Amino acid sequence: MTDPRLEDHVVGLELQIVELVERRERARVQNDLVEADRIQREIDALQLEMADTAEEIIDH
């Protein structure tokens, strides 16, 4: 049986990514490419964490 805390964690990561994507797009529209790149690095890190968590869920 899957640990519901892990599933909740994945949902939380997804929500964070959605918010960051919106912030990144606003930064791009405002031509703030430095901020857009910084946000993209945050998105990348969260996506890696989500992949690691998904693997942990599969292994259980």
Side-chain angles (χ1 to χ4, degrees), residues 4-60:
R5 292 174 295 177
L6 290 175
E7 292 175 352
D8 289 346
H9 184 63
V10 169
V11 171
L13 291 171
E14 288 174 332
L15 293 172
Q16 289 179 58
I17 291 169
V18 167
E19 181 177 331
L20 286 170
V21 166
E22 291 172 1
R23 288 178 47 204
R24 182 195 63 202
E25 293 309 307
R26 278 195 301 272
R28 285 180 178 169
V29 166
Q30 295 171 353
N31 205 30
D32 188 349
L33 301 181
V34 171
E35 179 67 3
D37 287 343
R38 185 193 68 74
I39 293 169
Q40 183 60 54
R41 287 190 300 275
E42 286 185 54
I43 292 168
D44 294 342
L46 289 173
Q47 287 174 329
L48 287 173
E49 184 177 348
M50 189 164 54
D52 290 343
T53 304
E55 285 182 25
E56 191 174 340
I57 289 171
I58 291 169
D59 290 342
H60 279 96

